[in-house]
Amino acid sequence: MASGQDTARPGEEDPGGGALASRSAEARRAAFMLIRTPVPEHPCSAWSEHAADLAHDMERMLVRFPVSPATDAMILRGELVPVVPGVQLPPDLTLHAPLRAVLVGCAVGPALRHHHVVGAATALWVAVGGRPPRPLDLVTTARPSSLCGVMVRQAPVGPEDVEMVGGAPVVVPSRAALDVLRFLPDRALSLITAALMSGHLDPREVDLRLQTIDGHPHARRARERWERLRPGRAVTGPPPHRDRETAHRPLAGLLPSPPPSGTLPPLVRRRDQQEVAPG
């Protein structure tokens, strides 16, 4: 019975003159090339493979509407949450801390470099959540570049100032709070209050950092602001010890390697521990 397919019985010549063999060879070559074709690296791979893995998940949640009056109207109506110009989030999306950290790299895109560290108000937002600050904040030890929707500031950043969240380097809350107190407008102070109330920020660590900035720009301004914000003036004693026995390397070379999971904030877990936490 004829099957309607170009098949050759054993011992007979292929009536298609080798067409079946040719098609099979082409299919094998196509399958081989598909296997060999590398997956394009995400810009977050500049930070780590872990960040790049999370970034592929994050990209599916982003909205990339171009800057236009229609987009602005959607933002005003609360239908979109702006991140940087041309990148938005759905308003009902809840992100846990690792995805918030990686979102910064997704928003920066191909301009992201290994020496960029999430800093200041954006680092506090990574810890406490809410709506992303505008502009986003990055700190670098290299010469800063101009990025749309991102404030890049050059400053010394030591290994003790950085922890890895979702594979992304983020300054620790006390350093982030110090930078906010020194450099950012009053509207950013609400993130310090949120970090204090959520327990991510220990006021004694901020006290210690304020003691190290005598003679630095905006030191007086930072102390005056902190006097208004600091809770529990009766609290004394050193801050609790932060276990930072990590394999950090100087930021002038590569970024620090991820510290043990015990050093990360409560909402952050290593990927090998099924990194899932509420936003």
Side-chain angles (χ1 to χ4, degrees):
M1 179 182 297
S3 63
Q5 298 180 350
D6 294 334
T7 57
R9 297 176 181 175
E12 295 182 359
E13 293 186 359
D14 182 358
L20 283 178
S22 177
R23 286 198 295 269
S24 297
E26 290 176 0
R28 286 194 296 271
R29 282 196 297 269
F32 180 71
M33 293 303 297
L34 183 62
I35 294 173
R36 292 191 59 190
T37 301
V39 177
E41 284 192 350
H42 192 277
C44 285
S45 61
W47 280 340
S48 68
E49 291 184 7
H50 184 187
D53 288 342
L54 289 180
H56 287 293
D57 297 332
M58 186 70 249
E59 288 288 354
R60 292 194 290 268
M61 307 178 195
L62 293 178
V63 180
R64 294 185 181 271
F65 288 160
V67 177
S68 69
T71 302
D72 292 342
M74 295 176 71
I75 292 173
L76 287 175
R77 292 195 299 266
E79 298 170 3
L80 292 174
V81 176
V83 182
V84 297
V87 180
Q88 304 87 25
L89 288 171
D92 57 347
L93 184 63
T94 300
L95 302 176
H96 55 75
L99 283 183
R100 290 195 291 269
V102 169
L103 170 61
V104 179
C106 293
V108 174
L112 186 69
R113 298 293 181 265
H114 72 279
H115 50 75
H116 286 151
V117 182
V118 180
T122 307
L124 293 177
W125 167 74
V126 168
V128 303
R131 292 204 166 197
R134 300 178 69 191
L136 298 178
D137 305 279
L138 291 175
V139 62
T140 177
T141 57
R143 182 176 179 179
S145 55
S146 178
L147 300 176
C148 183
V150 183
M151 179 186 297
V152 185
R153 188 170 54 84
Q154 184 181 29
V157 182
E160 70 280 0
D161 294 324
V162 179
E163 56 190 354
M164 303 299 286
V165 182
V170 181
V171 299
V172 297
S174 59
R175 168 62 190 270
L178 181 67
D179 290 345
V180 170
L181 291 168
R182 292 178 63 192
F183 301 115
L184 297 193
D186 285 345
R187 66 176 181 273
L189 298 180
S190 61
L191 281 165
I192 295 181
T193 302
L196 288 167
M197 294 180 64
S198 65
H200 289 90
L201 178 62
D202 189 312
R204 292 168 293 184
E205 291 189 353
V206 181
D207 291 340
L208 289 179
R209 287 187 178 270
L210 284 170
Q211 296 172 14
T212 68
I213 62 171
D214 288 334
H216 288 70
H218 310 300
R220 180 178 177 182
R221 178 192 190 194
R223 290 192 178 95
E224 290 174 351
R225 287 171 142 191
W226 183 235
E227 285 296 324
R228 301 197 307 266
L229 293 174
R230 193 194 193 286
R233 297 301 301 175
V235 176
T236 58
H241 174 66
R242 278 180 175 266
D243 181 11
R244 295 197 177 280
E245 297 179 359
T246 64
H248 289 310
R249 288 171 286 180
L251 289 176
L254 297 176
L255 286 173
S257 300
S261 59
T263 67
L264 299 179
L267 297 183
V268 181
R269 297 182 182 177
R270 296 284 295 276
R271 188 172 178 81
D272 55 7
Q273 297 179 356
Q274 295 183 355
E275 173 181 82
V276 177

